[in-house]
């Protein structure tokens, strides 16, 4: 069984947490180790279209997941990003929050992470080699699932 994420179908095996209104999944092309996504279950293109219950659940889930991935991946901080609309860098037409565990010196310039996020999930056929295998993603999801 798969879950719809914008124009993509996501296998259950890469989802590590599901709540009443949200789900969390590993990223097929992480910017940093532990880069994961939290999404509302209802496929909604823009943040403004979420109900108050969905917003609450989404951000409570983001908080839980951020605590886990920071610890699990040995981070010392977290970057949380929501790109809301194409001009903001959103390439998947489904609200989603990026959670990225951070470490001292992981980027030459701290704000470089936003440049990387903007280009990270643009789909180009010649970049398939940077995508992780299903097995890698399933293994990571299984490890994270144990925390919830």
């Amino acid at each position: 069984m798969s879950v719809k994420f914008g124009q993509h179908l996501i296998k259950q095996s890469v989802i590590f947490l599901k709540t009443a209104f949200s789900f969390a999944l590993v990223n097929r092309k992480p910017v940093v180790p532990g880069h994961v996504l939290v999404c509302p279950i209802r496929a909604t293109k823009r943040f403004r279209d979420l109900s108050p219950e969905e917003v609450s659940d989404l951000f409570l889930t983001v908080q839980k997941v951020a605590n886990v991935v920071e610890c699990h991946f040995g981070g010392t901080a977290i970057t949380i990003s929501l790109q809301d609309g194409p001009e903001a860098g959103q390439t998947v037409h489904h609200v989603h929050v990026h959670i990225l565990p951070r470490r001292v010196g992981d980027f030459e310039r701290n704000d470089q992470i936003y440049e990387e996020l903007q280009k990270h999930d643009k789909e180009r056929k010649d970049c398939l080699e940077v995508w992780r295998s299903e097995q890698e993603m399933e293994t990571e999801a299984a490890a994270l699932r144990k925390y919830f």
Side-chain angles (χ1 to χ4, degrees):
M1 187 162 161
S2 299
V3 174
K4 192 145 173 67
F5 173 50
Q7 58 271 38
H8 306 285
L9 285 178
I10 304 299
K11 293 181 180 178
Q12 290 286 337
S13 59
V14 301
I15 295 171
F16 60 89
L17 176 63
K18 209 166 188 183
T19 67
F21 295 102
S22 305
F23 66 97
L25 67 148
V26 299
N27 200 314
R28 70 178 174 178
K29 193 169 99 175
V31 172
V32 295
H35 176 186
V36 299
L37 305 174
V38 177
C39 316
I41 291 171
R42 185 169 64 93
T44 305
K45 289 183 183 180
R46 298 292 306 274
F47 183 72
R48 66 178 172 231
D49 298 326
L50 295 174
S51 71
E53 295 82 12
E54 289 170 317
V55 170
S56 177
D57 187 78
L58 180 70
F59 279 96
L60 288 171
T61 304
V62 165
Q63 186 179 46
K64 285 180 194 172
V65 169
N67 288 334
V68 165
V69 297
E70 182 178 352
C71 181
H72 182 79
F73 290 95
T76 55
I78 290 285
T79 293
I80 296 171
S81 178
L82 191 159
Q83 297 158 299
D84 191 29
E87 293 75 22
Q90 182 184 26
T91 57
V92 176
H93 308 295
H94 188 138
V95 172
H96 58 286
V97 179
H98 295 264
I99 301 173
L100 302 99
R102 302 293 304 276
R103 293 180 191 82
V104 173
D106 55 2
F107 288 94
E108 189 175 317
R109 290 178 298 99
N110 193 44
D111 283 351
Q112 185 181 353
I113 194 156
Y114 300 110
E115 297 164 18
E116 295 301 318
L117 270 174
Q118 192 148 36
K119 61 185 177 181
H120 104 283
D121 53 42
K122 289 186 178 172
E123 292 188 35
R124 290 179 29 205
K125 301 284 187 245
D126 59 338
C127 289
L128 294 178
E129 69 277 358
V130 297
W131 292 356
R132 298 193 298 168
S133 71
E134 289 292 325
Q135 183 58 51
E136 288 175 290
M137 292 168 51
E138 288 173 8
T139 299
E140 184 173 294
L144 292 173
R145 205 174 288 123
K146 293 176 184 176
Y147 291 97
F148 299 100

